Amino acid sequence: MSDPKRRLDVEVIPVTPLRQNCSLVWNGETRRALVIDPGGDEDVILERVAAHDLTVEAILLTHGHLDHAGGAQALRDALTKRQGAPVPVIGPDKRDEFLLSSIEENAARFGLSGMISVAPDRYTQDGDVLPLLGRTYEVLHVPGHTPGHVVFFEPQDRVLFAGDTLFRGTIGRTDFPYGDGPTLVQGVRTKILPLGDDVLVLPGHGAPTTVRAERAENPFLQ
Ligand SMILES: [Zn+2]
């Protein structure tokens, strides 16, 4: 019997030399899955998809940085071939298009290979609700690390896929030409903290945390 209250499963797969946390999320009843932020190492991600016997419904991107999005195009191609039907890439806010379309150039600058640009099937914006895996994923625009950065909140399981906005004890870097520190802090305060203390935060790098812990201890939020 299908139990709609059953929590979704999540496996965090560190990808790329930058050890970015790609999340594989799936419904154990239907074996349907999402991949969030496949920055690279798509062979490793595919191996985990196969190991859990999953069908990927969509690929989600929190923002346009190469360590989050550089493997999306290759993964889309491989999954589409494996599953026999197109797998959509759901992008961040369109303001990150300039990053998604220049991944090769940026990767070359860092001496990274195998990362390629990607054109999402659709962009998202603040307030969008994505029906995926029999749940709803709420899109919140939290710019500052990049102009088009979004986070994905799943209210039933109380999980936030935070990308590079909020980390355990810190926030995303904003020292890029397009970065904006005060805007990021403001976004975390007004969009993420109100989601509730019990929310599990899965960041793009490092260990998981909770809204409660960051509200209490994160030096950027005091
Ligand atoms: Zn980033």
Side-chain angles (χ1 to χ4, degrees):
M1 266 249 301
S2 167
D3 176 6
K5 291 222 162 32
R6 176 176 164 158
R7 281 185 78 94
L8 299 180
D9 293 294
V10 182
E11 181 174 318
V12 174
I13 307 167
V15 295
T16 82
L18 299 162
R19 305 296 287 169
Q20 195 280 123
N21 291 329
C22 172
S23 290
L24 176 61
V25 186
W26 70 94
N27 181 323
E29 303 278 350
T30 64
R31 312 309 297 176
R32 291 181 70 82
L34 300 175
V35 177
I36 303 174
D37 285 354
D41 297 330
E42 51 280 354
D43 51 334
V44 177
I45 300 169
L46 284 166
E47 191 274 317
R48 300 314 299 154
V49 169
H52 294 294
D53 190 25
L54 304 173
T55 299
V56 175
E57 202 167 287
I59 297 165
L60 273 57
L61 304 176
T62 59
H63 66 293
H65 278 159
L66 50 86
D67 55 328
H68 294 252
Q73 179 61 49
L75 185 66
R76 167 164 61 186
D77 288 347
L79 287 171
T80 296
K81 194 170 164 203
R82 180 178 185 267
Q83 297 177 187
V87 176
V89 174
I90 301 176
D93 181 283
K94 199 157 196 282
R95 279 165 273 198
D96 267 16
E97 188 176 29
F98 76 103
L99 291 167
L100 291 168
S101 63
S102 60
I103 288 177
E104 282 112 20
E105 293 135 75
N106 289 321
R109 211 170 297 148
F110 286 102
L112 298 167
S113 61
M115 293 176 168
I116 52 176
S117 298
V118 60
D121 295 276
R122 62 164 288 191
Y123 286 93
T124 52
Q125 53 185 359
D126 192 61
D128 280 352
V129 175
L130 308 172
L132 296 164
L133 306 184
R135 300 286 215 269
T136 54
Y137 285 76
E138 299 174 2
V139 178
L140 303 167
H141 180 218
V142 183
H145 176 72
T146 65
H149 198 305
V150 299
V151 298
F152 301 105
F153 177 54
E154 203 277 88
Q156 188 170 326
D157 285 356
R158 316 287 298 155
V159 178
L160 180 76
F161 298 92
D164 289 351
T165 57
L166 179 63
F167 300 109
R168 181 183 279 194
T170 187
I171 59 170
R173 51 185 288 204
T174 55
D175 58 333
F176 307 107
Y178 48 79
D180 183 335
T183 294
L184 177 56
V185 170
Q186 168 80 358
V188 171
R189 282 186 187 285
T190 60
K191 302 273 182 69
I192 295 180
L193 297 189
L195 296 174
D197 277 352
D198 62 324
V199 169
L200 174 67
V201 178
L202 296 179
H205 301 268
T209 184
T210 61
V211 168
R212 176 181 289 109
E214 299 317 309
R215 187 198 300 280
E217 292 159 22
N218 192 310
F220 290 89
L221 304 175
Q222 305 309 308

mmCIF file with all atom_site columns, all heavy atoms in Angstrom, residues 64-66 69-71 98-108 115-118:
data_model
loop_
_atom_site.group_PDB
_atom_site.id
_atom_site.type_symbol
_atom_site.label_atom_id
_atom_site.label_alt_id
_atom_site.label_comp_id
_atom_site.label_asym_id
_atom_site.label_entity_id
_atom_site.label_seq_id
_atom_site.pdbx_PDB_ins_code
_atom_site.Cartn_x
_atom_site.Cartn_y
_atom_site.Cartn_z
_atom_site.occupancy
_atom_site.B_iso_or_equiv
_atom_site.pdbx_formal_charge
_atom_site.auth_seq_id
_atom_site.auth_comp_id
_atom_site.auth_asym_id
_atom_site.auth_atom_id
_atom_site.pdbx_PDB_model_num
ATOM 1   N N   . GLY A 1 64  ? 23.581 28.800 -11.339 1.00 0.00 ? 64  GLY A N   1
ATOM 2   C CA  . GLY A 1 64  ? 24.321 28.523 -12.563 1.00 0.00 ? 64  GLY A CA  1
ATOM 3   C C   . GLY A 1 64  ? 25.779 28.172 -12.401 1.00 0.00 ? 64  GLY A C   1
ATOM 4   O O   . GLY A 1 64  ? 26.476 28.004 -13.404 1.00 0.00 ? 64  GLY A O   1
ATOM 5   N N   . HIS A 1 65  ? 26.296 28.066 -11.181 1.00 0.00 ? 65  HIS A N   1
ATOM 6   C CA  . HIS A 1 65  ? 27.724 27.760 -11.025 1.00 0.00 ? 65  HIS A CA  1
ATOM 7   C C   . HIS A 1 65  ? 28.067 26.370 -11.533 1.00 0.00 ? 65  HIS A C   1
ATOM 8   O O   . HIS A 1 65  ? 27.290 25.427 -11.399 1.00 0.00 ? 65  HIS A O   1
ATOM 9   C CB  . HIS A 1 65  ? 28.138 27.907 -9.558  1.00 0.00 ? 65  HIS A CB  1
ATOM 10  C CG  . HIS A 1 65  ? 28.428 29.326 -9.180  1.00 0.00 ? 65  HIS A CG  1
ATOM 11  N ND1 . HIS A 1 65  ? 28.400 29.777 -7.896  1.00 0.00 ? 65  HIS A ND1 1
ATOM 12  C CD2 . HIS A 1 65  ? 28.749 30.395 -9.951  1.00 0.00 ? 65  HIS A CD2 1
ATOM 13  C CE1 . HIS A 1 65  ? 28.698 31.070 -7.875  1.00 0.00 ? 65  HIS A CE1 1
ATOM 14  N NE2 . HIS A 1 65  ? 28.908 31.466 -9.107  1.00 0.00 ? 65  HIS A NE2 1
ATOM 15  N N   . LEU A 1 66  ? 29.288 26.272 -12.083 1.00 0.00 ? 66  LEU A N   1
ATOM 16  C CA  . LEU A 1 66  ? 29.677 25.047 -12.775 1.00 0.00 ? 66  LEU A CA  1
ATOM 17  C C   . LEU A 1 66  ? 29.690 23.818 -11.872 1.00 0.00 ? 66  LEU A C   1
ATOM 18  O O   . LEU A 1 66  ? 29.377 22.717 -12.331 1.00 0.00 ? 66  LEU A O   1
ATOM 19  C CB  . LEU A 1 66  ? 31.045 25.242 -13.449 1.00 0.00 ? 66  LEU A CB  1
ATOM 20  C CG  . LEU A 1 66  ? 32.195 25.807 -12.610 1.00 0.00 ? 66  LEU A CG  1
ATOM 21  C CD1 . LEU A 1 66  ? 32.919 24.710 -11.850 1.00 0.00 ? 66  LEU A CD1 1
ATOM 22  C CD2 . LEU A 1 66  ? 33.174 26.540 -13.514 1.00 0.00 ? 66  LEU A CD2 1
ATOM 23  N N   . ALA A 1 69  ? 25.986 22.813 -11.898 1.00 0.00 ? 69  ALA A N   1
ATOM 24  C CA  . ALA A 1 69  ? 25.251 22.620 -13.149 1.00 0.00 ? 69  ALA A CA  1
ATOM 25  C C   . ALA A 1 69  ? 26.075 22.002 -14.275 1.00 0.00 ? 69  ALA A C   1
ATOM 26  O O   . ALA A 1 69  ? 25.516 21.649 -15.314 1.00 0.00 ? 69  ALA A O   1
ATOM 27  C CB  . ALA A 1 69  ? 24.685 23.967 -13.614 1.00 0.00 ? 69  ALA A CB  1
ATOM 28  N N   . GLY A 1 70  ? 27.390 21.833 -14.069 1.00 0.00 ? 70  GLY A N   1
ATOM 29  C CA  . GLY A 1 70  ? 28.275 21.421 -15.160 1.00 0.00 ? 70  GLY A CA  1
ATOM 30  C C   . GLY A 1 70  ? 28.049 20.017 -15.695 1.00 0.00 ? 70  GLY A C   1
ATOM 31  O O   . GLY A 1 70  ? 28.488 19.687 -16.787 1.00 0.00 ? 70  GLY A O   1
ATOM 32  N N   . GLY A 1 71  ? 27.335 19.176 -14.923 1.00 0.00 ? 71  GLY A N   1
ATOM 33  C CA  . GLY A 1 71  ? 27.063 17.820 -15.400 1.00 0.00 ? 71  GLY A CA  1
ATOM 34  C C   . GLY A 1 71  ? 25.630 17.639 -15.872 1.00 0.00 ? 71  GLY A C   1
ATOM 35  O O   . GLY A 1 71  ? 25.236 16.526 -16.277 1.00 0.00 ? 71  GLY A O   1
ATOM 36  N N   . PHE A 1 98  ? 23.325 33.716 -17.773 1.00 0.00 ? 98  PHE A N   1
ATOM 37  C CA  . PHE A 1 98  ? 24.692 34.064 -18.210 1.00 0.00 ? 98  PHE A CA  1
ATOM 38  C C   . PHE A 1 98  ? 25.728 33.097 -17.643 1.00 0.00 ? 98  PHE A C   1
ATOM 39  O O   . PHE A 1 98  ? 26.782 32.904 -18.246 1.00 0.00 ? 98  PHE A O   1
ATOM 40  C CB  . PHE A 1 98  ? 25.017 35.518 -17.828 1.00 0.00 ? 98  PHE A CB  1
ATOM 41  C CG  . PHE A 1 98  ? 25.336 35.744 -16.366 1.00 0.00 ? 98  PHE A CG  1
ATOM 42  C CD1 . PHE A 1 98  ? 26.645 35.915 -15.949 1.00 0.00 ? 98  PHE A CD1 1
ATOM 43  C CD2 . PHE A 1 98  ? 24.327 35.778 -15.419 1.00 0.00 ? 98  PHE A CD2 1
ATOM 44  C CE1 . PHE A 1 98  ? 26.958 36.121 -14.599 1.00 0.00 ? 98  PHE A CE1 1
ATOM 45  C CE2 . PHE A 1 98  ? 24.616 35.979 -14.069 1.00 0.00 ? 98  PHE A CE2 1
ATOM 46  C CZ  . PHE A 1 98  ? 25.932 36.145 -13.660 1.00 0.00 ? 98  PHE A CZ  1
ATOM 47  N N   . LEU A 1 99  ? 25.464 32.500 -16.499 1.00 0.00 ? 99  LEU A N   1
ATOM 48  C CA  . LEU A 1 99  ? 26.387 31.517 -15.915 1.00 0.00 ? 99  LEU A CA  1
ATOM 49  C C   . LEU A 1 99  ? 26.199 30.142 -16.555 1.00 0.00 ? 99  LEU A C   1
ATOM 50  O O   . LEU A 1 99  ? 27.172 29.474 -16.898 1.00 0.00 ? 99  LEU A O   1
ATOM 51  C CB  . LEU A 1 99  ? 26.149 31.420 -14.400 1.00 0.00 ? 99  LEU A CB  1
ATOM 52  C CG  . LEU A 1 99  ? 26.571 32.651 -13.591 1.00 0.00 ? 99  LEU A CG  1
ATOM 53  C CD1 . LEU A 1 99  ? 26.010 32.586 -12.184 1.00 0.00 ? 99  LEU A CD1 1
ATOM 54  C CD2 . LEU A 1 99  ? 28.091 32.781 -13.569 1.00 0.00 ? 99  LEU A CD2 1
ATOM 55  N N   . LEU A 1 100 ? 24.952 29.739 -16.731 1.00 0.00 ? 100 LEU A N   1
ATOM 56  C CA  . LEU A 1 100 ? 24.672 28.419 -17.320 1.00 0.00 ? 100 LEU A CA  1
ATOM 57  C C   . LEU A 1 100 ? 25.199 28.311 -18.742 1.00 0.00 ? 100 LEU A C   1
ATOM 58  O O   . LEU A 1 100 ? 25.556 27.221 -19.199 1.00 0.00 ? 100 LEU A O   1
ATOM 59  C CB  . LEU A 1 100 ? 23.160 28.153 -17.302 1.00 0.00 ? 100 LEU A CB  1
ATOM 60  C CG  . LEU A 1 100 ? 22.548 27.944 -15.915 1.00 0.00 ? 100 LEU A CG  1
ATOM 61  C CD1 . LEU A 1 100 ? 21.030 27.990 -15.992 1.00 0.00 ? 100 LEU A CD1 1
ATOM 62  C CD2 . LEU A 1 100 ? 23.004 26.633 -15.310 1.00 0.00 ? 100 LEU A CD2 1
ATOM 63  N N   . SER A 1 101 ? 25.244 29.441 -19.433 1.00 0.00 ? 101 SER A N   1
ATOM 64  C CA  . SER A 1 101 ? 25.667 29.422 -20.837 1.00 0.00 ? 101 SER A CA  1
ATOM 65  C C   . SER A 1 101 ? 27.171 29.629 -20.992 1.00 0.00 ? 101 SER A C   1
ATOM 66  O O   . SER A 1 101 ? 27.680 29.649 -22.107 1.00 0.00 ? 101 SER A O   1
ATOM 67  C CB  . SER A 1 101 ? 24.895 30.484 -21.625 1.00 0.00 ? 101 SER A CB  1
ATOM 68  O OG  . SER A 1 101 ? 25.215 31.771 -21.119 1.00 0.00 ? 101 SER A OG  1
ATOM 69  N N   . SER A 1 102 ? 27.905 29.807 -19.896 1.00 0.00 ? 102 SER A N   1
ATOM 70  C CA  . SER A 1 102 ? 29.362 30.025 -20.001 1.00 0.00 ? 102 SER A CA  1
ATOM 71  C C   . SER A 1 102 ? 30.140 29.053 -19.118 1.00 0.00 ? 102 SER A C   1
ATOM 72  O O   . SER A 1 102 ? 31.228 29.363 -18.650 1.00 0.00 ? 102 SER A O   1
ATOM 73  C CB  . SER A 1 102 ? 29.696 31.475 -19.627 1.00 0.00 ? 102 SER A CB  1
ATOM 74  O OG  . SER A 1 102 ? 29.293 31.761 -18.300 1.00 0.00 ? 102 SER A OG  1
ATOM 75  N N   . ILE A 1 103 ? 29.572 27.869 -18.895 1.00 0.00 ? 103 ILE A N   1
ATOM 76  C CA  . ILE A 1 103 ? 30.213 26.903 -17.997 1.00 0.00 ? 103 ILE A CA  1
ATOM 77  C C   . ILE A 1 103 ? 31.562 26.427 -18.548 1.00 0.00 ? 103 ILE A C   1
ATOM 78  O O   . ILE A 1 103 ? 32.542 26.347 -17.802 1.00 0.00 ? 103 ILE A O   1
ATOM 79  C CB  . ILE A 1 103 ? 29.258 25.720 -17.698 1.00 0.00 ? 103 ILE A CB  1
ATOM 80  C CG1 . ILE A 1 103 ? 28.133 26.195 -16.763 1.00 0.00 ? 103 ILE A CG1 1
ATOM 81  C CG2 . ILE A 1 103 ? 30.020 24.541 -17.076 1.00 0.00 ? 103 ILE A CG2 1
ATOM 82  C CD1 . ILE A 1 103 ? 27.075 25.159 -16.449 1.00 0.00 ? 103 ILE A CD1 1
ATOM 83  N N   . GLU A 1 104 ? 31.645 26.147 -19.856 1.00 0.00 ? 104 GLU A N   1
ATOM 84  C CA  . GLU A 1 104 ? 32.937 25.677 -20.398 1.00 0.00 ? 104 GLU A CA  1
ATOM 85  C C   . GLU A 1 104 ? 34.040 26.702 -20.187 1.00 0.00 ? 104 GLU A C   1
ATOM 86  O O   . GLU A 1 104 ? 35.141 26.357 -19.752 1.00 0.00 ? 104 GLU A O   1
ATOM 87  C CB  . GLU A 1 104 ? 32.829 25.393 -21.904 1.00 0.00 ? 104 GLU A CB  1
ATOM 88  C CG  . GLU A 1 104 ? 32.161 24.085 -22.255 1.00 0.00 ? 104 GLU A CG  1
ATOM 89  C CD  . GLU A 1 104 ? 30.820 24.331 -22.915 1.00 0.00 ? 104 GLU A CD  1
ATOM 90  O OE1 . GLU A 1 104 ? 30.608 25.440 -23.413 1.00 0.00 ? 104 GLU A OE1 1
ATOM 91  O OE2 . GLU A 1 104 ? 29.990 23.439 -22.910 1.00 0.00 ? 104 GLU A OE2 1
ATOM 92  N N   . GLU A 1 105 ? 33.751 27.974 -20.502 1.00 0.00 ? 105 GLU A N   1
ATOM 93  C CA  . GLU A 1 105 ? 34.781 29.015 -20.346 1.00 0.00 ? 105 GLU A CA  1
ATOM 94  C C   . GLU A 1 105 ? 35.232 29.114 -18.899 1.00 0.00 ? 105 GLU A C   1
ATOM 95  O O   . GLU A 1 105 ? 36.413 29.212 -18.593 1.00 0.00 ? 105 GLU A O   1
ATOM 96  C CB  . GLU A 1 105 ? 34.226 30.388 -20.752 1.00 0.00 ? 105 GLU A CB  1
ATOM 97  C CG  . GLU A 1 105 ? 33.905 30.550 -22.212 1.00 0.00 ? 105 GLU A CG  1
ATOM 98  C CD  . GLU A 1 105 ? 32.551 31.217 -22.395 1.00 0.00 ? 105 GLU A CD  1
ATOM 99  O OE1 . GLU A 1 105 ? 32.443 32.438 -22.189 1.00 0.00 ? 105 GLU A OE1 1
ATOM 100 O OE2 . GLU A 1 105 ? 31.581 30.484 -22.724 1.00 0.00 ? 105 GLU A OE2 1
ATOM 101 N N   . ASN A 1 106 ? 34.267 29.082 -17.982 1.00 0.00 ? 106 ASN A N   1
ATOM 102 C CA  . ASN A 1 106 ? 34.611 29.210 -16.569 1.00 0.00 ? 106 ASN A CA  1
ATOM 103 C C   . ASN A 1 106 ? 35.364 27.988 -16.067 1.00 0.00 ? 106 ASN A C   1
ATOM 104 O O   . ASN A 1 106 ? 36.292 28.109 -15.273 1.00 0.00 ? 106 ASN A O   1
ATOM 105 C CB  . ASN A 1 106 ? 33.351 29.448 -15.735 1.00 0.00 ? 106 ASN A CB  1
ATOM 106 C CG  . ASN A 1 106 ? 32.783 30.842 -15.964 1.00 0.00 ? 106 ASN A CG  1
ATOM 107 O OD1 . ASN A 1 106 ? 33.528 31.808 -16.081 1.00 0.00 ? 106 ASN A OD1 1
ATOM 108 N ND2 . ASN A 1 106 ? 31.479 30.948 -16.054 1.00 0.00 ? 106 ASN A ND2 1
ATOM 109 N N   . ALA A 1 107 ? 34.981 26.802 -16.554 1.00 0.00 ? 107 ALA A N   1
ATOM 110 C CA  . ALA A 1 107 ? 35.651 25.576 -16.141 1.00 0.00 ? 107 ALA A CA  1
ATOM 111 C C   . ALA A 1 107 ? 37.107 25.599 -16.620 1.00 0.00 ? 107 ALA A C   1
ATOM 112 O O   . ALA A 1 107 ? 38.021 25.224 -15.876 1.00 0.00 ? 107 ALA A O   1
ATOM 113 C CB  . ALA A 1 107 ? 34.930 24.354 -16.694 1.00 0.00 ? 107 ALA A CB  1
ATOM 114 N N   . ALA A 1 108 ? 37.324 26.072 -17.858 1.00 0.00 ? 108 ALA A N   1
ATOM 115 C CA  . ALA A 1 108 ? 38.684 26.145 -18.399 1.00 0.00 ? 108 ALA A CA  1
ATOM 116 C C   . ALA A 1 108 ? 39.541 27.059 -17.530 1.00 0.00 ? 108 ALA A C   1
ATOM 117 O O   . ALA A 1 108 ? 40.718 26.768 -17.269 1.00 0.00 ? 108 ALA A O   1
ATOM 118 C CB  . ALA A 1 108 ? 38.639 26.663 -19.832 1.00 0.00 ? 108 ALA A CB  1
ATOM 119 N N   . MET A 1 115 ? 33.016 19.703 -17.902 1.00 0.00 ? 115 MET A N   1
ATOM 120 C CA  . MET A 1 115 ? 31.810 20.449 -17.514 1.00 0.00 ? 115 MET A CA  1
ATOM 121 C C   . MET A 1 115 ? 31.305 21.216 -18.730 1.00 0.00 ? 115 MET A C   1
ATOM 122 O O   . MET A 1 115 ? 32.089 21.867 -19.414 1.00 0.00 ? 115 MET A O   1
ATOM 123 C CB  . MET A 1 115 ? 32.127 21.417 -16.387 1.00 0.00 ? 115 MET A CB  1
ATOM 124 C CG  . MET A 1 115 ? 32.486 20.717 -15.099 1.00 0.00 ? 115 MET A CG  1
ATOM 125 S SD  . MET A 1 115 ? 32.952 21.913 -13.860 1.00 0.00 ? 115 MET A SD  1
ATOM 126 C CE  . MET A 1 115 ? 32.971 20.870 -12.400 1.00 0.00 ? 115 MET A CE  1
ATOM 127 N N   . ILE A 1 116 ? 30.015 21.135 -18.993 1.00 0.00 ? 116 ILE A N   1
ATOM 128 C CA  . ILE A 1 116 ? 29.496 21.821 -20.174 1.00 0.00 ? 116 ILE A CA  1
ATOM 129 C C   . ILE A 1 116 ? 28.287 22.688 -19.839 1.00 0.00 ? 116 ILE A C   1
ATOM 130 O O   . ILE A 1 116 ? 27.587 22.456 -18.856 1.00 0.00 ? 116 ILE A O   1
ATOM 131 C CB  . ILE A 1 116 ? 29.170 20.840 -21.328 1.00 0.00 ? 116 ILE A CB  1
ATOM 132 C CG1 . ILE A 1 116 ? 28.276 19.704 -20.863 1.00 0.00 ? 116 ILE A CG1 1
ATOM 133 C CG2 . ILE A 1 116 ? 30.438 20.300 -21.956 1.00 0.00 ? 116 ILE A CG2 1
ATOM 134 C CD1 . ILE A 1 116 ? 27.873 18.781 -21.997 1.00 0.00 ? 116 ILE A CD1 1
ATOM 135 N N   . SER A 1 117 ? 28.077 23.677 -20.692 1.00 0.00 ? 117 SER A N   1
ATOM 136 C CA  . SER A 1 117 ? 26.953 24.597 -20.514 1.00 0.00 ? 117 SER A CA  1
ATOM 137 C C   . SER A 1 117 ? 25.641 23.851 -20.701 1.00 0.00 ? 117 SER A C   1
ATOM 138 O O   . SER A 1 117 ? 25.584 22.801 -21.334 1.00 0.00 ? 117 SER A O   1
ATOM 139 C CB  . SER A 1 117 ? 27.046 25.733 -21.542 1.00 0.00 ? 117 SER A CB  1
ATOM 140 O OG  . SER A 1 117 ? 28.242 26.459 -21.328 1.00 0.00 ? 117 SER A OG  1
ATOM 141 N N   . VAL A 1 118 ? 24.582 24.421 -20.148 1.00 0.00 ? 118 VAL A N   1
ATOM 142 C CA  . VAL A 1 118 ? 23.284 23.767 -20.241 1.00 0.00 ? 118 VAL A CA  1
ATOM 143 C C   . VAL A 1 118 ? 22.195 24.825 -20.424 1.00 0.00 ? 118 VAL A C   1
ATOM 144 O O   . VAL A 1 118 ? 22.248 25.900 -19.836 1.00 0.00 ? 118 VAL A O   1
ATOM 145 C CB  . VAL A 1 118 ? 23.011 22.891 -18.989 1.00 0.00 ? 118 VAL A CB  1
ATOM 146 C CG1 . VAL A 1 118 ? 23.022 23.714 -17.709 1.00 0.00 ? 118 VAL A CG1 1
ATOM 147 C CG2 . VAL A 1 118 ? 21.717 22.101 -19.119 1.00 0.00 ? 118 VAL A CG2 1
#
